[in-house]
Amino acid sequence: MIGTFFNTGMIICGSIIGSLFKRGLNEKYHQILMQALGLAVVLLGINTTVSHMGDSKYPVLFIVSLALGGVIGQLLNLEERFDRLLGHFSSPNSSNLAQGLSTAILLFCIGTLSIIGPIEAALKHNYTYLFTNGMLDGITSMVLASTFGIGIIVASLVLFCWQGGIYALSILMQGAISGDLITELSVVGGVLILASGINILKIAEIHTLNLLPALVMPAIIIPILHALGY
């Protein structure tokens, strides 16, 4: 849970610091910080994918997972629903704090690093994803708090419960999770992390939310392959 504590602490610190900036964080500093972290996320995604591909018994499974997951995510309109939800809280009838807080909760919890991070921490004691996510969330909370105030700090509690729940579930299911599944999940997760970095750097617009169902595909496909003797 050390990674989740760090992630939560960064949001708390970012909210406190951001609330001290009445006019908001200077755009040029925000931009360079996001570029630096974007590069770090891209490198992390590439390293994760490449380092696990050599151990994969199903070299094309990540392609199938991304394709099927993307189709499912597109059918469910996950990204459009997410944007609509943000728009709902940005309505004129909503208070400024409600708008900022709801935005913060969604941004902190609905992301590849925030989902893969607790799983990796629980199964491999790998906290890299959560530390990286903590840095990103720290900057995001700083920017949000500079606009909406110290109330953004409440999002840290929601994130703690979210990541803590994923962590606990991963521990409980540890015996049912095979090494093959962890490897394939890491490959797919690495690709999605790379996509997140590309979005942060604004190199291209990748609908990562619509690709999130790809993380579920290895858990469905691998048992079928095992049953067929592969």
Side-chain angles (χ1 to χ4, degrees), residues 123-201:
L123 301 182
K124 294 185 176 181
H125 304 292
N126 177 11
Y127 304 105
T128 306
Y129 304 126
L130 289 177
F131 288 154
T132 303
N133 197 55
M135 296 298 294
L136 287 168
D137 288 349
I139 292 175
T140 303
S141 61
M142 194 185 303
V143 174
L144 289 171
S146 69
T147 303
F148 300 105
I150 191 63
I152 294 297
I153 203 171
V154 176
S156 64
L157 178 61
V158 178
L159 176 98
F160 182 82
C161 295
W162 168 258
Q163 290 188 355
I166 296 176
Y167 182 91
L169 186 61
S170 299
I171 291 291
L172 290 173
M173 296 179 61
Q174 188 169 7
I177 300 178
S178 66
D180 290 343
L181 177 56
I182 295 174
T183 297
E184 300 305 331
L185 185 64
S186 297
V187 173
V188 174
V191 175
L192 294 183
I193 291 170
L194 171 60
S196 297
I198 290 174
N199 279 340
I200 292 172
L201 292 173

Side-chain angles (χ1 to χ4, degrees), residues 2-97:
I2 186 174
T4 295
F5 279 116
F6 175 79
N7 202 159
T8 303
M10 287 299 295
I11 294 175
I12 293 173
C13 291
S15 298
I16 294 173
I17 295 172
S19 65
L20 299 177
F21 292 94
K22 294 182 179 180
R23 295 185 177 181
L25 186 67
N26 191 298
E27 178 59 28
K28 63 182 181 180
Y29 294 111
H30 174 245
Q31 184 177 6
I32 194 64
L33 286 171
M34 291 305 290
Q35 286 177 349
L37 286 172
L39 288 170
V41 172
V42 165
L43 182 59
L44 179 62
I46 293 173
N47 180 66
T48 301
T49 302
V50 173
S51 63
H52 286 91
M53 283 186 73
D55 298 324
S56 174
K57 295 181 181 178
Y58 313 102
V60 299
L61 180 57
F62 80 99
I63 300 175
V64 176
S65 296
L66 288 167
L68 291 177
V71 169
I72 293 172
Q74 191 65 48
L75 286 172
L76 294 175
N77 258 339
L78 295 180
E79 189 134 343
E80 189 175 324
R81 290 172 188 270
F82 178 80
D83 291 338
R84 216 179 293 150
L85 189 57
L86 288 182
H88 168 72
F89 287 107
S90 300
S91 65
N93 296 326
S94 300
S95 68
N96 286 337
L97 179 57

